[in-house]
Amino acid sequence: MTRTVLDIMNLTVNLPNRTRILRDVSLSLEPGEVRALVGESGAGKSMIGKAVLGILPPKVRISEGEILLDNEHLGAMTPVTRRNTVARMSALIPQDPLTALNPLRKIGPQIVDPLRRIHGWSADKARARALELLDRVHIRAPERVMASYPHELSGGMRQRILIAAAFAPSPRLIVADEPTTALDVTVQKEILKLIRELQRETGTAVLFVTHDMGVVAKISQKVTVLFAGKVMEDAPTEQVFSGAAHPYTRALINATPSSADPSRSFTPVPAQLVADLHREIAQDDHLYMTVTS
Amino acid sequence: MLLKTLITRLLTMIVTLFGVAVVVFTLVRVAPGNPIAMMLPPGASEEDIARLTALYGFDKSLVQQFFIWLGGVVQGDFGTSITLRQPVDQLVLSRLPATLELAAMALVIALLLGGTVAVLGARNRGTGTEVGLDLTSGAVLSIPDFLWGLIFVLIFGVLWPVLAISGRIDPRIEFDFATNFYLIEGLLRGRFDVVGSTLSHMVMPAMSLALPLAAMIAQLLKQNLKGELVQDYATIARVRGFSETTVILREALRNAALPTIALVGVQFTFLIGGTVIVERLFAYEGLGNMAIDAVINRDLPLIQGIVLLFAAIFIMINLIVDLSYTLLNPRLRHG
Ligand SMILES: Nc1ncnc2c1ncn2[C@@H]1O[C@H](COP(=O)(O)OP(=O)(O)OP(=O)(O)O)[C@@H](O)[C@H]1O
Ligand SMILES: [Mg+2]
C-alpha cells in the first residue's frame, strides 16, 4: 500500500434536509504533493478542507465516505483522538489573515501554545521553533513580532506569521484555503513563493484551494475541479493545461484573466455549459433522493 | 494622552457634580414637608419655630442658602444632619463601606454567575441546554431586585431560616472595628466569626441585587461569545486540537468580554441605585437605608450629602469602565 498523506474516498456531505454539498468526492495526496482545488464560488472547495480538518459548520454532516489521514480512518476515531490526530498531522492556512489571529493575544503565544499542545514541547523549545519559522518566512525582528499584537502588523506580515505557524509543528498536510485572495497583488506573489518554498523544503503535502487558474499552473502538480460539489476532473496539472481537459475545466482556464499577461483576452464560462452541468446534477439528485428515501 | 483624558474627565466630573448639587438642592426644597416642623413636638411656639428655622438658615433666600451650602461643601463641610445632629460627611462616610461591600459582593456574584452561564450556553450552543439557560435567564431578568429580596426572605428567612434577614452583623459578636469594612477587616484580621456573620447577613441582599445583572451578563456575553466562536482565529485553535472549552475560555472570552464591559458598567450603577430599597428591606445599615430615613425625616443636609456621594460614585464607575476598556484593548492602549 502506498503511503498517501490524504485519501478522501467517496465523500458525501449533507445538510439535514439531505441537500448534498459534496457529492461522492474522491481525491488523494502523496507526500510532498500540491493538489489544487478549483471551482466557482460555492462549489464546495472549502467544505472539503473543513471535512478533512473536522471543522464542518453545525448541521453539515458527512453522510458517506471515508477520510484517511496518513492511512488512518478519521471516521473510526473518537472525537478526541480525531482532534489530536488532525492537530498533529495537519494545519490550516486561512484566507483572511486579518481575522485569523486573535486580536487580543500577542503573536508569540498564538504560535507557541499550539506547539506545546501538539508536541508536548517545553516553552523554550516551542519558542525556539517559533522563532526559527518566523525567521524562515523572512520576518526581520522575530522577537519583537512575537511580542506584538496583530493590529500592529500589516496583512502580508500576518499571513507570513500564519504560514510560519502552520509549518511550525511539521504537519504532513496543509490545507491552504485561498491564502492569497485577501492580499495585495504584490504581496500575493511573495506569499505564494513562500508556501511553495517551505512546502518543497519540508515535503509537506498541500491541498491548495483557489479560484485562480494562473496560481494552479504555478503551484500544483495535480488539480481537482469541482462543480456543485461534484468532481468534474482530477488530473495532473500539465495535462490540464496542455489542452486535454474536461470542457468545464477548459472553460475555467479561458475564464481566468492571466495575471502574467493581462492583455490576454478571457471569456466567461459559457452559460449553456453551466446549464447542462446543472441539469446533469439535478438528474443525479433525483436519483439520489429516490434511492436513499 | 492618558493625562489629557484624565483632566478632561475630572473637569467633566466637577461640572456634573455641580449640576447634581443644584438639582438636588432645589428638589428637596420644592418637595412638600417642613423639616423644622418635624423636629419639634406638636404645639411648639411660633418663636421656637422661627429660632430653629434661623439656626438652619432656612429663613434665607434659596440662592443664598445654596451658596452657603456650596461654600461649605467646597471646604469639605457638608453641613449637619438635622435629625442625627452630626456632621453629614461623617455620617455618610461611616455608612459608605457597608454599601460598597454589598455592591462589590453583588457585582462579583453577578460576574461569576453570569459569566459561567454564558460560557455554558456558548459551549452548548444549538442544544436544548442553551435554550434552557436562555429561558432561565429571561425569567430571572423579569423579576426586579427587591422582589428577589422578598422571595429570599420568605425562603431562607422564614420557611427555612438559615440566613440572617436583618442588619449587617450579629450584634452579639464582640469586635472592635477600626473601619466600617466589616468583611474586609474580618478577613484581614483573621476573625472568621465576623466574616461568617457578615456573609450570612450579606448573601440575600447581594444575591437580590446580583441576579438581574447576572442574567443580563449571561445573555449578552453568550451572544458575544457565539459571535467570536465563528471567527477564523477560533477555527484555527480548533484545528490545533484545542477543546471547545479552551477555545471559549482562552480565545473567545476576552474578545466577547470587551463589548460586555460597557453594559456591565451602566447596569452596575443601576445596581447601586437598587441598594437603596434592598438595604431597606434587609435593614442593612448602609447608605441607601440612611437615604430613606433622611427622606422620611426631611433631613435636607443629609439627603444632599448622600445624593452627591451617589453621583460621585456613578461618575467613578464610568471612569473605571472607560479605563478598563482601554487597558483591555491593545488597539486603544497604545493609541
Ligand atoms: N454553514 C453552512 N450551512 C449550510 N450550507 C453551507 C454552509 N456553508 C456553506 N454552505 C454551502 O456549501 C456550499 C459549498 O460552500 P464552500 O464554502 O465550500 O464553497 P467554496 O467553493 O469554498 O466557495 P468560495 O470560493 O466562495 O469560498 C455552498 O453552496 C454553500 O451554500
Ligand atoms: Mg471557500
Side-chain angles (χ1 to χ4, degrees), chain A residues 105 108-118 126, chain B residues 242 250-251:
Chain A
R105 298 185 71 207
Q110 298 198 52
I111 311 176
V112 169
D113 287 353
L115 287 175
R116 301 191 62 188
R117 140 125 207 145
I118 293 167
Chain B
F242 292 108
R250 197 164 64 187
E251 303 288 343

Side-chain angles (χ1 to χ4, degrees), chain A residues 142-216:
Chain A
E143 298 269 3
R144 211 193 56 223
V145 166
M146 295 255 278
S148 312
Y149 286 96
H151 75 274
E152 297 169 300
L153 309 167
S154 70
M157 276 275 254
R158 290 191 227 182
Q159 193 58 303
R160 279 189 277 160
I161 289 167
L162 287 161
I163 290 168
F167 279 96
S170 311
R172 306 252 297 137
L173 168 74
I174 283 182
V175 177
D177 194 344
E178 311 205 38
T180 60
T181 312
L183 302 172
D184 292 344
V185 183
T186 45
V187 185
Q188 278 185 13
K189 284 194 180 142
E190 195 187 310
I191 293 295
L192 213 57
K193 184 159 158 270
L194 204 51
I195 294 177
R196 199 172 43 191
E197 278 174 13
L198 275 163
Q199 178 272 327
R200 284 204 184 129
E201 277 171 33
T202 57
T204 311
V206 175
L207 188 60
F208 196 100
V209 174
T210 181
H211 278 108
D212 187 341
M213 292 304 278
V215 171
V216 174

Side-chain angles (χ1 to χ4, degrees), chain A residues 15 21 40-47 57 60 178 211:
Chain A
L15 290 175
I21 293 176
E40 63 187 8
S41 187
K45 306 180 295 292
S46 298
M47 218 45 92
V60 176
E178 311 205 38
H211 278 108

Side-chain angles (χ1 to χ4, degrees), chain A residues 63-249:
Chain A
S63 64
E64 279 159 66
E66 288 281 359
I67 301 172
L68 282 74
L69 257 185
D70 206 20
N71 288 347
E72 290 188 78
H73 286 257
L74 289 182
M77 296 175 184
T78 64
V80 174
T81 317
R82 188 183 328 135
R83 219 171 62 206
N84 289 332
T85 308
V86 166
R88 199 178 60 247
M89 295 280 308
S90 58
L92 170 67
I93 302 177
Q95 173 169 348
D96 188 356
L98 297 187
T99 56
L101 288 164
N102 190 331
L104 296 189
R105 298 185 71 207
K106 288 184 179 168
I107 300 295
Q110 298 198 52
I111 311 176
V112 169
D113 287 353
L115 287 175
R116 301 191 62 188
R117 140 125 207 145
I118 293 167
H119 293 302
W121 288 346
S122 70
D124 285 346
K125 183 167 183 193
R127 191 180 154 75
R129 175 71 179 158
L131 287 170
E132 181 192 337
L133 260 293
L134 286 178
D135 188 53
R136 178 62 195 83
V137 297
H138 313 303
I139 281 174
R140 261 189 295 282
E143 298 269 3
R144 211 193 56 223
V145 166
M146 295 255 278
S148 312
Y149 286 96
H151 75 274
E152 297 169 300
L153 309 167
S154 70
M157 276 275 254
R158 290 191 227 182
Q159 193 58 303
R160 279 189 277 160
I161 289 167
L162 287 161
I163 290 168
F167 279 96
S170 311
R172 306 252 297 137
L173 168 74
I174 283 182
V175 177
D177 194 344
E178 311 205 38
T180 60
T181 312
L183 302 172
D184 292 344
V185 183
T186 45
V187 185
Q188 278 185 13
K189 284 194 180 142
E190 195 187 310
I191 293 295
L192 213 57
K193 184 159 158 270
L194 204 51
I195 294 177
R196 199 172 43 191
E197 278 174 13
L198 275 163
Q199 178 272 327
R200 284 204 184 129
E201 277 171 33
T202 57
T204 311
V206 175
L207 188 60
F208 196 100
V209 174
T210 181
H211 278 108
D212 187 341
M213 292 304 278
V215 171
V216 174
K218 276 197 210 106
I219 201 165
S220 70
Q221 290 94 53
K222 300 271 178 60
V223 191
T224 297
V225 182
L226 224 55
F227 180 88
K230 198 169 175 220
V231 175
M232 292 287 118
E233 171 143 46
D234 177 349
T237 308
E238 24 179 295
Q239 190 182 315
V240 163
F241 281 93
S242 67
H246 185 282
Y248 180 65
T249 313

Side-chain angles (χ1 to χ4, degrees), chain B residues 186-218:
Chain B
L187 277 171
L188 290 180
R189 286 166 60 178
R191 279 290 297 273
F192 293 104
D193 54 335
V194 172
V195 174
S197 176
T198 312
L199 282 179
S200 159
H201 285 75
M202 219 153 111
V203 168
M204 286 197 288
M207 280 298 283
S208 312
L209 292 165
L211 278 182
L213 180 56
M216 203 168 296
I217 292 173

Side-chain angles (χ1 to χ4, degrees), chain B:
Chain B
M1 186 63 208
L2 197 63
L3 193 71
K4 202 179 137 197
T5 319
L6 274 176
I7 291 172
T8 319
R9 295 300 292 257
L10 218 65
L11 289 176
T12 319
M13 180 167 170
I14 292 170
V15 173
T16 312
L17 284 178
F18 182 79
V20 171
V22 172
V23 171
V24 67
F25 191 88
T26 316
L27 273 183
V28 291
R29 278 164 182 75
V30 172
N34 181 348
I36 303 300
M38 297 187 69
M39 289 170 72
L40 293 167
S45 70
E46 290 288 323
E47 225 168 84
D48 284 345
I49 294 178
R51 205 157 38 81
L52 220 56
T53 307
L55 182 65
Y56 283 95
F58 293 139
D59 54 342
K60 299 201 173 65
S61 80
L62 261 189
V63 179
Q64 269 179 318
Q65 286 185 44
F66 179 72
F67 282 105
I68 291 169
W69 176 64
L70 195 69
V73 167
V74 171
Q75 294 165 39
D77 173 11
F78 290 76
T80 307
S81 158
I82 297 175
T83 41
L84 302 168
R85 315 241 156 104
Q86 284 178 47
V88 166
D89 54 326
Q90 278 177 25
L91 286 170
V92 165
L93 288 181
S94 73
R95 287 294 188 95
L96 180 62
T99 298
L100 285 184
E101 280 191 345
L102 178 63
M105 171 74 88
L107 180 64
V108 169
I109 294 174
L111 287 173
L112 289 179
L113 199 63
T116 308
V117 173
V119 168
L120 279 178
R123 178 75 189 76
N124 295 292
R125 59 193 179 285
T127 71
T129 309
E130 187 195 3
V131 178
L133 289 173
D134 279 353
L135 289 176
T136 311
S137 55
V140 167
L141 200 52
S142 66
I143 300 177
D145 45 19
F146 61 89
L147 260 185
W148 280 115
L150 289 174
I151 295 170
F152 285 139
V153 167
L154 205 64
I155 299 174
F156 299 108
V158 178
L159 293 178
W160 183 41
V162 286
L163 292 170
I165 55 164
S166 152
R168 223 186 141 194
I169 191 166
D170 187 338
R172 283 165 303 185
I173 290 182
E174 298 208 357
F175 187 65
D176 195 14
F177 285 104
T179 69
N180 277 332
F181 289 98
Y182 289 7
L183 186 62
I184 296 172
E185 203 178 328
L187 277 171
L188 290 180
R189 286 166 60 178
R191 279 290 297 273
F192 293 104
D193 54 335
V194 172
V195 174
S197 176
T198 312
L199 282 179
S200 159
H201 285 75
M202 219 153 111
V203 168
M204 286 197 288
M207 280 298 283
S208 312
L209 292 165
L211 278 182
L213 180 56
M216 203 168 296
I217 292 173
Q219 289 184 349
L220 185 74
L221 186 61
K222 190 205 70 178
Q223 214 48 48
N224 291 339
L225 276 173
K226 282 170 75 176
E228 294 299 327
L229 287 169
V230 297
Q231 300 291 319
D232 284 351
Y233 69 81
T235 306
I236 291 213
R238 280 181 208 112
V239 174
R240 296 308 201 178
F242 292 108
S243 71
E244 195 60 26
T245 308
T246 309
V247 175
I248 291 175
L249 294 179
R250 197 164 64 187
E251 303 288 343
L253 189 56
R254 250 178 282 184
N255 288 285
L258 219 44
T260 317
I261 288 177
L263 172 111
V264 172
V266 173
Q267 291 300 324
F268 185 53
T269 56
F270 290 160
L271 184 152
I272 290 188
T275 58
V276 173
I277 190 145
V278 170
E279 283 183 359
R280 189 64 171 186
L281 191 62
F282 289 94
Y284 185 90
E285 291 121 7
L287 263 186
N289 210 348
M290 183 182 255
I292 291 185
D293 283 335
V295 169
I296 291 173
N297 298 323
R298 301 288 182 277
D299 192 338
L300 304 192
L302 191 53
I303 299 176
Q304 286 159 197
I306 293 175
V307 171
L308 267 191
L309 185 61
F310 269 121
I313 292 174
F314 288 2
I315 293 170
M316 287 310 290
I317 291 171
N318 281 318
L319 190 61
I320 291 170
V321 166
D322 285 0
L323 283 179
S324 62
Y325 192 83
T326 311
L327 286 179
L328 287 173
N329 193 338
R331 271 165 294 198
L332 298 176
R333 196 154 56 211
H334 307 288

